[in-house]
Amino acid sequence: MAGHPDSSCAAKPVATRIVGAAEGIPAAAALLAAGEVVALPTETVYGLGAAALDPLACAKIFEAKGRPLTDPLIVHIPTREWLDRLAEVSETAARLADHFWPGPLTLVLPRRSLVPDIVTAGQETVAVRMSAHPVFQAILEAYGKPVAAPSANRFGRISPTSAEDVIEELGGRIPLVLDGGPCAHGVESTIVLVRGGELHILRNGPVTAGELAGFGTVRGRVAGISAPGGLASHYAPRTPLVIAGSCVPAEAGLLAWQSAGGGFARVERLSETQDLREAAANLYGAMRRLDAAGLKLIIAEPVPETGLGAAIMERLRKAAAR
Ligand code: TXA
Ligand code: MG
């Protein structure tokens, strides 16, 4: 189709500007209204936003990320009323939204016809969330409509948790990065498919299974639902990464949970006090620094798989699968 984006083609190079909130909020709202993409801070990771109700604008997200059109986008809404316009909202879903929004929870619900096919990748469901980041909220308020935003990384790579990370991923491919400082959570939102009273966790994240338990029966994935970051290999550094308790090969770096890392060429500690929240917030930055250190191998110490540890281990396994 003429003019149709092809994710295998490199986008035309553009000069990418990084700006702060004062200049960036009106500039981002204007770019969104003009059908352009813009990188935005959220409380989880940085997102690459575009007008969710404009299919051509959404196509630019896929083009900039090199993302296959089969991978659906999360829609970020300015106000709770938008949820009912985009999706069929069951009582369970409404209770989840009321309790966890704004915040790091994405709900997958039956879509309404207002949502473009490119957003849902043709699926009958749509993923919706409301971000708690004040800069993203201000942009949504100024723009006034939903914004589709996946993580602002090249497809399959480590999600960015700072404006500089976004430049490393998408510099030269997008016009603007809004610098809102480092992301508080550092891992992507929890994704939950709501079906009747059942909650299927499609991606572990800052909202834990334990916190969801009061809202329905918590279950794992559903056969036939294309799971988020569904590919086994995702969130991947270029340097091979293995998960291992103890081992010190030469020219290896350690992504450390509890050991001091003596003998390793480079050590990145996730949290000095073994705090899982701090570890999640540091995870991607630490992986990115190890990846840039010219190592032969990255060894990641496993973290306890409780609470946020489930989200961290899910990402380490994907980073290790290559
Ligand atoms: O924290 C986050 O969720 C970040 C920030 C920017 O909001 N966004 C993010 O988006 O992580 P993305 O596209 O990188 O990951 C969202 C995942 C994708 O892997 C996609 O497959 C899945 O959500 N997804 C989107 N719509 C879906 C749907 N209708 N059903 C199942 N999975 C869906
Ligand atoms: Mg992503």
Side-chain angles (χ1 to χ4, degrees):
M1 203 198 307
H4 197 80
D6 175 350
S7 59
S8 67
C9 292
K12 212 166 29 156
V14 293
T16 306
R17 288 196 312 136
I18 301 192
V19 296
E23 182 189 347
I25 290 166
L31 281 167
L32 291 169
E36 297 300 331
V37 293
V38 54
L40 309 163
T42 86
E43 73 277 39
T44 55
V45 299
Y46 274 71
L48 182 64
L53 304 182
D54 175 349
L56 268 182
C58 291
K60 292 179 186 170
I61 293 177
F62 290 90
E63 188 178 29
K65 280 180 61 91
R67 177 177 174 122
L69 289 164
T70 46
D71 196 355
L73 304 176
I74 296 177
V75 179
H76 299 69
I77 54 176
T79 58
R80 174 70 172 72
E81 292 73 62
W82 275 99
L83 180 62
D84 300 283
R85 291 183 217 168
L86 301 174
E88 286 171 34
V89 187
S90 65
E91 217 172 282
T92 303
R95 284 176 58 225
L96 286 165
D98 292 340
H99 186 81
F100 290 102
W101 286 357
L105 179 70
T106 296
L107 296 174
V108 174
L109 305 172
R111 70 186 279 195
R112 292 200 192 279
S113 56
L114 185 61
V115 185
D117 281 333
I118 189 168
V119 169
T120 66
Q123 300 198 66
E124 285 313 305
T125 53
V126 61
V128 186
R129 104 171 175 95
M130 193 191 284
S131 167
H133 198 292
V135 173
F136 199 168
Q137 287 187 339
I139 291 164
L140 281 172
E141 194 184 332
Y143 173 55
K145 286 191 268 187
V147 168
S151 50
N153 49 283
R154 297 288 288 272
F155 181 67
R157 290 260 310 141
I158 304 170
S159 292
T161 54
S162 72
E164 294 72 33
D165 292 350
V166 177
I167 292 291
E168 207 176 299
E169 292 292 321
L170 297 174
R173 301 173 76 92
I174 60 174
L176 192 74
V177 182
L178 237 123
D179 190 349
C183 299
H185 294 295
V187 291
E188 302 84 346
S189 62
T190 304
I191 303 183
V192 174
L193 169 79
V194 184
R195 248 194 205 168
E198 296 199 336
L199 311 179
H200 298 267
I201 300 181
L202 302 184
R203 178 173 71 188
N204 284 300
V207 174
T208 61
E211 291 174 281
L212 292 168
F215 294 84
T217 311
V218 178
R219 299 204 187 279
R221 303 196 164 178
V222 194
I225 299 284
S226 115
L231 305 170
S233 165
H234 215 82
Y235 318 111
R238 296 184 174 92
T239 315
L241 181 147
V242 297
I243 304 171
S246 60
C247 150
V248 188
E251 297 177 77
L254 182 70
L255 189 60
W257 170 244
Q258 49 190 3
S259 61
F264 279 89
R266 172 138 188 187
V267 180
E268 287 286 343
R269 299 187 64 79
L270 288 176
S271 166
E272 294 298 338
T273 56
Q274 275 81 54
D275 177 280
L276 286 167
R277 285 210 169 269
E278 188 186 19
N282 288 334
L283 177 69
Y284 287 146
M287 269 167 62
R288 205 173 268 282
R289 287 188 293 277
L290 287 170
D291 202 18
L295 303 160
K296 290 255 166 64
L297 182 69
I298 298 169
I299 292 176
E301 284 187 320
V303 307
E305 221 148 338
T306 51
L308 247 183
I312 296 172
M313 285 306 291
E314 186 173 291
R315 272 116 188 127
L316 287 179
R317 289 200 184 94
K318 290 195 176 194
R322 45 189 300 141

